[in-house]
Amino acid sequence: MEKTDKRSSILEAAEKLFCELGYEGTSTRQIAKEAGANMAMINYYFGSKEGVFMEVMDGRIEGFKEQLTSISNDNLSGMEKLLKVVEDYTGRILENHAFHKMMHRELSLTQRPEMFVRIKNSMAENRLVIEQIINDGIKDGSFRQVDVRMLIATLMGTISYVAISPSKITSGTNLDINNTEDRKIITDRLIKHLKDLITIYLTPKNDTKTN
């Protein structure tokens, strides 16, 4: 149990430092100090700083994949599934907006191509689950025919935009994404916007006229 706790402590410390200082600005020595561990433990569990970083990234990506798979397997309509995906993903990203910024910073760099490819491939797997939900809805007639990947890019891009540059929507207010209560207001606002967009955009036109 103690070994498991120490491993978790290293990952928590590493994520905190990566978010604050970036990958390049964080050293294994700093991670060890923050976690109350020693360098040998980091080498034993992860092999290197890159190993720690990838473990942090894999944990986040895999966690979302489990959420997606669970939603996809639920006995819900296509619209209910997609709205739930958006709600869960928005909450997840804005709750961890500092991590999201750090991840996108890493994806914009080319110094570590193996890391870049691994992250992109993992994210692509998650995107395919969302694609399947939308394609199934189109196939059964509950969604109108749309460019699925452009829709996903619109949804994910909007969420990332708010997470990375919250001031673009909070300008002129006192809302601060780092404040828990304010972040909930921003999150709820974003979820409502995206749900409205999805419902209006995907509902077949005949259904819209009927309603």
Side-chain angles (χ1 to χ4, degrees), residues 82-93:
L82 189 56
L83 293 178
K84 187 165 176 50
V85 166
V86 166
E87 184 173 343
D88 288 358
Y89 186 67
T90 303
R92 190 182 188 90
I93 294 300

Side-chain angles (χ1 to χ4, degrees), residues 97-134:
H97 60 96
F99 177 85
H100 189 70
K101 284 184 183 180
M102 181 271 294
M103 182 184 73
H104 273 263
R105 186 167 60 238
E106 284 304 312
L107 289 175
S108 70
L109 303 174
T110 57
Q111 296 100 310
R112 295 172 285 280
E114 290 184 10
M115 187 186 296
F116 174 85
V117 170
R118 185 170 165 186
I119 294 170
K120 292 287 280 187
N121 286 345
S122 296
M123 292 174 69
E125 289 179 13
N126 288 347
R127 188 194 69 229
L128 288 174
V129 178
I130 303 174
E131 279 189 28
Q132 190 61 53
I133 291 173
I134 300 173

Side-chain angles (χ1 to χ4, degrees), residues 29-71:
R29 191 173 300 280
Q30 288 171 305
I31 294 172
K33 182 179 179 181
E34 180 75 22
N38 56 53
M39 300 286 288
M41 286 183 176
I42 292 178
N43 291 331
Y44 173 75
Y45 287 122
F46 309 103
S48 64
K49 181 173 76 169
E50 182 174 325
V52 180
F53 183 81
M54 287 311 307
E55 189 78 15
V56 171
M57 295 297 291
D58 285 346
R60 289 289 184 182
I61 294 170
E62 188 60 33
F64 182 50
K65 184 177 181 179
E66 290 175 4
Q67 266 188 318
L68 283 176
T69 302
S70 175
I71 293 170

Side-chain angles (χ1 to χ4, degrees), residues 172-183:
T173 74
N174 294 319
L175 295 175
D176 179 0
I177 199 170
N178 295 303
N179 176 282
T180 303
E181 292 182 1
D182 289 352
R183 185 166 58 248

Side-chain angles (χ1 to χ4, degrees), residues 150-198:
M150 285 299 291
L151 173 59
I152 293 173
T154 299
L155 297 175
M156 301 309 179
T158 302
I159 295 169
S160 287
Y161 181 83
V162 174
I164 293 171
S165 303
S167 62
K168 299 291 176 61
I169 66 160
T170 60
S171 179
T173 74
N174 294 319
L175 295 175
D176 179 0
I177 199 170
N178 295 303
N179 176 282
T180 303
E181 292 182 1
D182 289 352
R183 185 166 58 248
K184 185 178 186 309
I185 293 171
I186 296 168
T187 302
D188 290 346
R189 179 182 169 191
L190 178 55
I191 289 172
K192 181 181 183 306
H193 168 72
L194 293 175
K195 284 185 172 182
D196 286 346
L197 185 153
I198 289 168

